[in-house]
Amino acid sequence: MMERLTIAERQQAMLLSGGLALVGLALAIVGRGDAMGVHGWITMIFAGGLFFVVGNALYAPAPTDDRATSYYDDPTKVGILISLFWAVIAMGMGVWVAAQLAWPDLRFDAPWSSFGRIRPVHTSGVIFGFGGNALIATSYHVMQRTSRARLAGHVSPWFVLLGFNLFCIIAASGYLMGITQSKEYAEPEWYADIWLVVVWVVYFVLYMRTLARRNEPHIYVANWYYMAFILVVAVLHIVNNLAVPASFSAAKSYSAFSGVQDAMTQWWYGHNAVAFFLTAGFLGMLYYFLPKRAERPIYSYRLSILSFWGIVFFYIWAGSHHLHYTAVPQWVQTLGMTFSVMLLVPSWASAGNALMTLNGAWGKVRDDATLRFMMVAAVFYGLSTFEGSFMAIRAVNSLSHYTDWTVGHVHAGAMGWVALITFGSIYALVPILWRRESMYSWKLVEWHFWLALGGTVIYVFAMWNSGIIQGLMWRTYTESGTLAYSFTDSLVAMHPYYVARTIGGAFFLTGAIIGAFNVIMTIRKVHEQTPELDYPTKSEAGEPAVPAAE
Amino acid sequence: MLRKILKPFSKFFEFHARSHYRAERHSMALTIGIIAASAVGGFVEIAPLFSIDETVEAAPDMRVYTPLEQAGRDIYIREGCYACHSQMIRSLRDEVDRYGPYSLAVESQYDHPMLWGSKRTGPDLARVGEKFSDEWQVQHLVDPRSLVPESVMPQYAFLLDTPLETASLPGRLAALRTVGVPYSDEQIENAAEDARGQAYPDSDQAYAVEERYGEATNIRFFDGRRDRLTEMDALVAYLQIMGGLTDLPQETQFAEGE
């Protein structure tokens, strides 16, 4: 991979990784005696390792051909593989935490293995490790293809990808050591947060510079979504993580906000992490890979404009629906509920646009599991956005909040929508990236598809049942006007569903492992085949960057 | 039918699509548009919460966490207790019957961050303070299933053997003061000793805690052991003060009820 970097670029990479290793060393020395010191060592080993990898090949032959005539796919390839690695780890953690709720003693009697510490490893691992890496990798692919231009820079894509993974490693290892801000989906402490801001700024600059090189007058819709993902996540991340460290030599910090304001800020962040990380970015994937794979143009250009701006504008308001009947002022709750319901319009516009795109290609959906992944993802996107709007209604929320129904809803979105569109995109992408004829085994793709779908359905049905039973038991009164069930009664009633949920998760995990195996075998065993026209071209007569609408 | 409903808007759609067709050639136009469109909602919902006085009730008797309680709160965060226990009683009849008066905004005024939670795998803890004895809490943390056989809570026996680190407490209180908790210089300076004192009744340090944090402060051997200060002391001290920072909810809601 080093042969595609010039000597100057290798030196730049060594400078960056060497500098980062020194930062790690400083962190290790300043933070000795605290878990922050451990993170210093991790940073140093991570960056030092990179320093030596690049340094080893410093004087290897430099590229001789004109690099602008091809796309730069190395970071994409590595990103896809890292994403699959995180998928297996994080989903494995998910199965384990789920099992702990059914069989609480299923842990080594150690502090690090309690539910409270490994649950964020599962959530962050899936959202950031699996989802985040897939987003970065596919965005590199999509921005180049839809712009007909090579990535702007050869070091910065690596900086973003590897820097982001350093953040993920610090996050996950921190939770096991008990380092957490307790803000859901924003648990990492202040120094990790600052690092992520640096990475994110470089990411945005890279995106804008690549778009500036484009040989297409228009910016394709997938890019709008990736841009919204990058921009809004930056704003959310910075505001929600404002905090004052108790000491600059230790990890602990205290949020700048408290009580009501903190709750509102946290759920403004939390819900929009769903909106802009888990929706906007993945819609970017959907808008590129689904029409590509189906070889059909996007059904409606206008619908994509409408749904894009609708999602960007409406979603931001919806966060307060996590706070119904709490101490947050009523007017904020009402706003959150109203906008959550309105959000259904752009959400269904997107899902509908995707499904209508498949009109005329349903035969392919039947035969091609890769396209079926994407189709089912769009269906789950439609279902879970409907469910979300429904659960945001105050009266429904009074039953569903605090129960497993919420957990089921999140997983309908995360497994059914986010993970399925990602796996579909990966299966579409891997043969193109590695210049292979096809995937190693289409049968394994089928197996993965049915395991993933089965697992999701089992999981979601188990959580619907347990959530609604739980909610009803909590509010049931006897005829004499006292509460009918103790909390423990409701917990006992959950047991069978917790077992079912673990099984559903295990199905899904098995699918992911099969997927990772299939990808590795594709790289190792399948014959090479160079696709036609997968290089930057100015020619309008050539293959259009994306199937054009109308 | 859809066409008919949308017909009055067709001019707008037409205009929107056409102007968008031009705008989407400029990455900065998209950037500015995204930031502007996404800024409105957050601004309208969050900014007023800082400026509208009625958002947080006035509670003259509201007190701050003692250093030991704050240390316990930090352990509660470290162990991820918030993943299964909420601290927010909603204004619904069954919740008030089950857990007590619904939570008021002022009760988490000094909570940086708040720990309202989003899931109840275990019960709400907003008013768990003094519902159970210290011994019960310690035993329950050491081995939950010895008291509640059906429980799925993890054991936290190691807290009983882990000495509480107190050296960083002055820095922690100082950081909390920076973000708005009214600790005095004296409270910050003596934070480490006060943590010790609160878990050692009838000592000079204990009297000093009483002086600095008020007579109502719980001063007990929380973990039942006199020889040393453990993380268990801190966590139990925190659990026992939950819902006890102010009496306002009880006062106002019982008055409503009558």
Side-chain angles (χ1 to χ4, degrees):
Chain A
M1 268 184 285
M2 222 58 76
E3 75 275 3
R4 274 188 275 278
L5 300 179
T6 62
I7 308 256
E9 282 161 357
R10 290 174 208 167
Q11 285 165 338
Q12 217 180 328
M14 284 179 75
L15 205 67
L16 282 169
S17 52
L20 183 60
L22 289 180
V23 173
L25 182 66
L27 212 60
I29 292 169
V30 174
R32 64 190 181 282
D34 187 81
M36 188 175 100
V38 180
H39 279 157
W41 291 116
I42 291 177
T43 307
M44 206 185 93
I45 293 166
F46 185 90
L50 287 173
F51 181 83
F52 283 109
V53 168
V54 182
N56 252 340
L58 181 58
Y59 293 110
T64 49
D65 53 333
D66 179 10
R67 292 188 296 179
T69 58
S70 63
Y71 293 126
Y72 188 38
D73 286 338
D74 290 347
T76 317
K77 290 180 185 171
V78 174
I80 293 292
L81 294 178
I82 297 177
S83 172
L84 285 169
F85 172 77
W86 276 107
V88 173
I89 299 282
M91 289 170 194
M93 278 293 189
V95 175
W96 188 20
V97 283
Q100 278 195 10
L101 288 184
W103 303 284
D105 289 317
L106 201 69
R107 56 179 279 226
F108 325 103
D109 205 8
W112 65 268
S113 62
S114 67
F115 181 91
R117 289 203 195 181
I118 61 175
R119 180 214 178 229
V121 179
H122 162 61
T123 54
S124 290
V126 170
I127 298 172
F128 301 113
F130 168 56
N133 277 299
L135 284 174
I136 293 175
T138 54
S139 77
Y140 287 171
H141 181 86
V142 172
M143 73 169 97
Q144 294 186 89
R145 267 58 177 194
T146 56
S147 302
R148 299 174 190 274
R150 191 178 170 95
L151 275 178
H154 291 81
V155 180
S156 55
W158 290 110
F159 179 84
V160 173
L161 181 70
L162 298 173
F164 178 74
N165 277 287
L166 176 61
F167 168 81
C168 293
I169 294 169
I170 287 182
S173 60
Y175 306 149
L176 297 179
M177 294 187 287
I179 298 181
T180 170
Q181 293 190 110
S182 82
K183 295 193 157 203
E184 279 186 79
Y185 320 117
E187 290 94 346
E189 275 290 357
W190 58 278
Y191 48 90
D193 292 335
I194 293 172
W195 172 244
L196 187 63
V197 172
V198 175
V199 170
W200 223 243
V201 170
V202 177
Y203 189 18
F204 181 65
V205 172
L206 171 68
Y207 213 111
M208 294 300 271
R209 287 186 58 218
T210 307
L211 287 182
R213 291 179 167 199
R214 73 186 182 278
N215 290 315
E216 277 281 307
H218 290 271
I219 298 172
Y220 181 60
V221 53
N223 290 306
W224 315 343
Y225 280 106
Y226 282 116
M227 280 169 72
F229 147 64
I230 299 171
L231 281 168
V232 183
V233 166
V235 175
L236 296 168
H237 173 77
I238 291 171
V239 175
N240 186 45
N241 282 302
L242 290 174
V244 176
S247 142
F248 285 104
S249 63
K252 184 71 193 165
S253 71
Y254 293 100
S255 166
F257 314 115
S258 70
V260 174
Q261 293 88 359
D262 188 48
M264 188 56 230
T265 312
Q266 157 60 31
W267 287 111
W268 166 78
Y269 168 89
H271 197 73
N272 288 300
V274 175
F276 289 90
F277 210 101
L278 296 178
T279 302
F282 291 91
L283 280 171
M285 249 183 232
L286 179 82
Y287 268 106
Y288 180 79
F289 289 103
L290 182 121
K292 262 292 200 193
R293 188 76 183 183
E295 295 175 312
R296 304 276 308 164
I298 278 289
Y299 168 68
S300 163
Y301 166 69
R302 289 187 189 179
L303 216 48
S304 32
I305 300 179
L306 180 84
S307 56
F308 175 75
W309 291 105
I311 283 173
V312 172
F313 181 73
F314 286 161
Y315 242 121
I316 286 283
W317 300 74
S320 52
H321 70 222
H322 289 254
L323 300 167
H324 282 324
Y325 298 102
T326 68
V328 160
Q330 181 98 358
W331 64 267
V332 188
Q333 301 176 18
T334 308
L335 272 179
M337 171 170 83
T338 313
F339 276 85
S340 304
V341 173
M342 291 199 289
L343 193 53
L344 190 61
V345 174
S347 299
W348 273 24
S350 281
N353 208 0
L355 292 175
M356 294 295 274
T357 300
L358 293 172
N359 262 354
W362 290 102
K364 281 186 194 160
V365 176
R366 184 192 58 210
D367 298 336
D368 178 9
T370 305
L371 191 58
R372 215 177 313 125
F373 264 108
M374 301 185 202
M375 188 278 284
V376 174
V379 170
F380 267 103
Y381 176 64
L383 286 176
S384 49
T385 47
F386 173 76
E387 190 188 23
S389 296
F390 182 62
M391 289 167 79
I393 296 168
R394 205 183 262 119
V396 181
N397 196 268
S398 74
L399 179 79
S400 75
H401 194 54
Y402 293 134
T403 73
D404 286 313
W405 189 355
T406 310
V407 181
H409 168 62
V410 171
H411 282 81
M415 294 160 121
W417 153 236
V418 169
L420 292 194
I421 186 68
T422 305
F423 286 128
S425 302
I426 288 177
Y427 286 132
L429 191 50
V430 163
I432 297 172
L433 280 179
W434 273 275
R435 309 291 191 222
R436 295 289 184 266
E437 282 172 345
S438 63
M439 286 301 293
Y440 169 70
S441 161
W442 64 267
K443 275 190 184 164
L444 287 181
V445 180
E446 283 287 348
W447 271 97
H448 183 183
F449 174 81
W450 290 108
L451 279 169
L453 184 60
T456 307
V457 170
I458 294 172
Y459 191 109
V460 171
F461 269 89
M463 291 294 95
W464 276 339
N465 278 295
S466 78
I468 292 170
I469 291 173
Q470 210 173 17
L472 290 176
M473 283 178 89
W474 289 345
R475 60 162 60 168
T476 303
Y477 280 85
T478 59
E479 273 175 26
S480 55
T482 53
L483 289 166
Y485 300 101
S486 72
F487 192 90
T488 316
D489 293 337
S490 73
L491 180 67
V492 172
M494 295 305 99
H495 183 74
Y497 303 108
Y498 285 170
V499 174
R501 178 246 294 265
T502 311
I503 295 169
F507 272 37
F508 204 85
L509 170 69
T510 313
I513 294 171
I514 291 175
F517 171 77
N518 203 359
V519 167
I520 291 165
M521 293 309 279
T522 306
I523 299 167
R524 293 185 50 189
K525 297 275 160 116
V526 179
H527 292 295
E528 279 209 28
Q529 186 190 56
T530 310
E532 286 172 48
L533 273 174
D534 192 33
Y535 50 83
T537 163
K538 285 187 171 49
S539 159
E540 294 291 327
E543 187 199 17
V546 285
E550 285 151 335
Chain B
M1 191 191 77
L2 199 66
R3 268 175 215 283
K4 249 186 202 160
I5 295 171
L6 292 176
K7 200 154 188 229
F9 302 100
S10 66
K11 275 224 170 97
F12 171 75
F13 284 142
E14 194 69 26
F15 168 76
H16 188 231
R18 235 187 279 151
S19 54
H20 199 276
Y21 191 73
R22 280 197 299 275
E24 71 186 33
R25 296 169 182 229
H26 306 282
S27 56
M28 279 321 281
L30 285 171
T31 305
I32 292 165
I34 289 167
I35 290 180
S38 66
V40 184
F43 191 77
V44 172
E45 287 186 350
I46 298 177
L49 297 181
F50 289 93
S51 55
I52 299 177
D53 291 337
E54 298 95 76
T55 304
V56 180
E57 309 83 0
D61 65 336
M62 179 70 189
R63 76 166 182 80
V64 296
Y65 292 112
T66 65
L68 188 67
E69 290 153 8
Q70 183 61 45
R73 192 167 196 274
D74 291 346
I75 292 168
Y76 183 98
I77 289 174
R78 183 187 76 191
E79 300 304 333
C81 306
Y82 59 85
C84 295
H85 294 284
S86 59
Q87 292 185 28
M88 172 47 65
I89 302 166
R90 297 180 294 169
S91 50
L92 297 168
R93 180 183 159 198
D94 62 291
E95 300 218 351
V96 172
D97 283 348
R98 191 179 294 277
Y99 301 114
Y102 59 83
S103 299
L104 299 181
V106 67
E107 291 180 87
S108 46
Q109 187 182 12
Y110 298 139
D111 287 5
H112 293 268
M114 57 85 205
L115 294 172
W116 295 6
S118 58
K119 174 72 173 64
R120 283 182 188 151
T121 304
D124 187 277
L125 297 181
R127 307 213 181 282
V128 79
E130 306 296 342
K131 265 196 187 160
F132 302 91
S133 67
D134 293 347
E135 294 76 35
W136 190 94
Q137 288 289 4
V138 172
Q139 180 57 34
H140 186 251
L141 283 160
V142 169
D143 184 5
R145 277 168 286 291
S146 67
L147 294 175
V148 185
E150 305 86 353
S151 168
V152 296
M153 189 170 113
Q155 321 82 320
Y156 291 98
F158 67 93
L159 295 177
L160 206 50
D161 303 314
T162 317
L164 183 70
E165 184 271 317
T166 55
S168 66
L169 278 171
R172 292 179 184 223
L173 263 55
L176 282 165
R177 182 162 72 176
T178 314
V179 291
V181 185
Y183 284 114
S184 66
D185 289 337
E186 208 195 339
Q187 287 173 327
I188 291 175
E189 263 168 51
N190 296 294
E193 294 77 45
D194 286 351
R196 213 160 280 284
Q198 196 183 344
Y200 211 95
D202 298 324
S203 64
D204 290 347
Q205 287 165 323
Y207 296 129
V209 173
E210 220 173 77
E211 220 166 86
R212 274 191 278 276
Y213 291 91
E215 285 184 7
T217 312
N218 298 324
I219 298 183
R220 302 197 289 257
F221 298 108
F222 292 99
D223 69 354
R225 286 164 44 167
R226 288 152 188 261
D227 52 340
R228 61 181 186 166
L229 184 67
T230 63
E231 293 194 336
M232 187 65 87
D233 279 311
L235 186 56
V236 174
Y238 174 57
L239 290 173
Q240 296 292 31
I241 195 61
M242 278 190 195
L245 296 177
T246 169
D247 292 330
L248 192 68
Q250 287 81 356
E251 285 165 11
T252 52
Q253 290 177 40
F254 288 142
E256 264 172 39
E258 285 158 19

